[in-house]
Amino acid sequence: MIKRIAIRGGGFGDEGKGKLVNLLTRKAHICVRDQGGGNAGHTNEDEHGKIVTHQIPSGILNPNAYNFYSAGCLLDPIRILNEINEFRQRGYEISPRTYGISELAHVTLEHHLIEEEITEGKSSGVGTTLRGITQTTSAKVNRLGIRFCEFLDANSFKEILPEIIEEYAKKGINVSIGYLEKYKESIEKLAPFAARDEDIAERFKDKKWVIEGAQATMLDLDYGYYPYITTSNPSRKGIAFDFDYLLLVFKAIPSSVGYRPRISQIDEETQELLRGAKGKVDAEYGATSGRPRQLLWPDLIWMKYSINVNEPDGLAITKFDKFSLIPEVKFCTAYELDGKIIDYLPHDRIKLDRCKPVYGITLDSFDQDISNVRNYSNLPKNSKTIAQCFEDILGVRAAILSVGPGKEQLIIRDRKIYNFINK
Ligand code: IMP
């Protein structure tokens, strides 16, 4: 029986990983976030409606799992207080029993946010989520970061700050020494959550783990569409703890927010059919930024690439029910680059920009409502043909098909996953 599932997004984020994490943690002891920061937005649903996690792992929706925000994550000490309050108001226990923050997490401070406003305002901006992610990561790499352990200790904070103030002043960003006052409430309220990664590894050694992904492979600093990336490794490369099953999540009709090539972008009229009303739990608007997501026909070139980068044990295909909103599904099966047909993803950004989609497969869709189907054999024939097309070309079995926003609206086809959730 598997004991540790790692979840990674296969595309450009927003694949619906939060809901899968919510379900997979039902019997898990620990849920870990190991990448990103407040740029993540996992949309979940509970009995009161929609609720979004940003810096708290989605395992929090289950009363029993401990949720750990590990080293490698970035902590925004102001926004996290709002998130904690929101969850408490909804009746969730947010205490050191259910939530921990790594002492090694780097803290996003005001100067990172100011710096991002300046850079993102320029034409070189990539359409970030404005959560100071690149700037906190750059400070970390430049050895000008402050980690959670130092942020919590007034003496350490005071000792480290002058050098940082000096460096940022050179860039015209004036960091205030009044930081200690500004962050006083955060320091007091967050101190009880501090935890050490190595202690967590030991405490949960033989327990059941879910390692939650945030962002996704095509946004990966190393494997994504550079430079239109986030600044962490949300692919297999960044998984911080041991695992024995990797679940790679693709959205049936993928999406992308921010600036980057969208080779298989769907025409605007069809996107409107698919996007849904803003505010609905499964509508295609950024969970963090509220921006409309651009929708893409399934592009089997980058999907296959993502498979090869992650070597998953199984796939989850989310929002599979959405195909019923359109009469046919087009699959991008190759690119045309300077008059030649190619079947791989060019790494060179200038070439990638010139790629045009080749839709080698078009399948009829289905109009039946499949949101109540729980067994693969009960799916309409056309929907099985579509699922099969993904599996045949990608070469990995669809272990999970998600057929609606509710956490039980899933078809689970892999016994290992079924047992993990239920035993
Ligand atoms: P950053 O992570 O805020 O620096 O943004 C870098 C790029 O990654 C932008 O194009 C963002 O829109 C994108 N991005 C970051 N996090 C997410 C996410 O959770 N979902 C979708 N896109 C994201």
Side-chain angles (χ1 to χ4, degrees), residues 138-407:
S138 309
K140 163 175 157 177
V141 176
N142 283 322
R143 303 182 184 88
L144 288 172
I146 294 197
R147 293 167 306 162
F148 190 46
C149 53
E150 295 139 0
F151 174 75
L152 293 178
D153 186 299
N155 290 331
S156 306
F157 199 8
K158 258 193 241 158
E159 204 170 317
I160 297 169
L161 213 48
E163 190 198 341
I164 295 177
I165 292 177
E166 206 182 302
E167 284 303 315
Y168 277 80
K170 287 184 202 156
K171 301 194 222 181
I173 298 168
N174 293 310
V175 175
S176 152
I177 198 80
Y179 261 16
L180 283 174
E181 202 42 48
K182 179 175 173 62
Y183 291 110
K184 196 165 169 262
E185 187 192 353
S186 299
I187 292 169
E188 271 166 28
K189 293 196 168 155
L190 296 177
F193 296 106
R196 296 162 67 90
D197 295 61
E198 65 278 25
D199 294 347
I200 300 297
E202 185 159 337
R203 182 170 142 208
F204 290 93
K205 202 174 176 148
D206 301 312
K207 304 285 188 201
K208 260 175 108 165
W209 291 57
V210 173
I211 302 171
E212 165 185 276
Q215 291 78 48
T217 304
M218 301 311 293
L219 298 174
D220 187 283
L221 175 57
D222 293 304
Y223 292 111
Y225 273 18
Y226 190 87
Y228 313 103
I229 39 79
T230 188
T231 45
S232 61
N233 287 118
S235 64
R236 180 187 185 108
K237 184 176 178 198
I239 301 176
F241 294 88
D242 199 13
F243 61 94
D244 46 24
Y245 189 105
L246 195 150
L247 183 69
L248 189 66
V249 189
F250 286 124
K251 186 153 62 173
I253 296 168
S255 66
S256 157
V257 277
Y259 308 131
R260 66 182 61 81
R262 304 182 211 286
I263 298 170
S264 64
Q265 180 148 341
I266 300 178
D267 62 274
E268 198 42 52
E269 208 177 311
T270 311
Q271 285 203 52
E272 276 306 308
L273 284 179
L274 290 162
R275 195 170 281 132
K278 196 169 185 179
K280 269 189 72 190
V281 69
D282 58 348
E284 295 291 358
Y285 291 86
T288 298
S289 62
R291 294 174 290 182
R293 295 175 185 149
Q294 299 301 315
L295 304 177
L296 316 169
W297 292 117
D299 178 338
L300 298 168
I301 299 297
W302 64 250
M303 286 181 162
K304 183 74 190 165
Y305 169 80
S306 186
I307 297 272
N308 290 338
V309 164
N310 287 292
E311 299 183 70
D313 297 285
L315 299 183
I317 304 180
T318 55
K319 297 201 176 179
F320 195 70
D321 53 309
K322 294 286 175 190
F323 287 131
S324 69
L325 298 172
I326 47 173
E328 58 179 29
V329 187
K330 294 204 275 186
F331 288 86
C332 175
T333 49
Y335 297 151
E336 190 195 315
L337 174 61
D338 303 334
K340 285 202 189 99
I341 302 297
I342 58 167
D343 64 357
Y344 62 87
L345 187 74
H347 290 311
D348 175 333
R349 72 185 92 165
I350 305 296
K351 290 189 180 135
L352 189 69
D353 247 347
R354 293 205 300 271
C355 284
K356 300 200 172 63
V358 176
Y359 296 108
I361 300 173
T362 301
L363 296 176
D364 285 337
S365 193
F366 48 92
D367 51 17
Q368 295 93 332
D369 174 5
I370 60 167
S371 59
N372 293 317
V373 177
R374 298 288 172 270
N375 196 319
Y376 187 78
S377 58
N378 296 336
L379 280 174
K381 186 167 165 281
N382 283 359
S383 66
K384 284 190 202 157
T385 310
I386 295 172
Q388 187 99 43
C389 177
F390 279 108
E391 289 184 325
D392 287 350
I393 297 184
L394 300 177
V396 185
R397 190 170 156 85
I400 299 180
L401 294 175
S402 172
V403 292
K407 93 169 158 176

Side-chain angles (χ1 to χ4, degrees), residues 114-133:
I114 296 171
E115 195 180 12
E116 182 167 41
E117 257 173 43
I118 298 168
T119 41
E120 272 299 301
K122 293 185 182 154
S123 59
S124 54
V126 302
T128 69
T129 57
L130 293 176
R131 295 295 182 269
I133 301 300

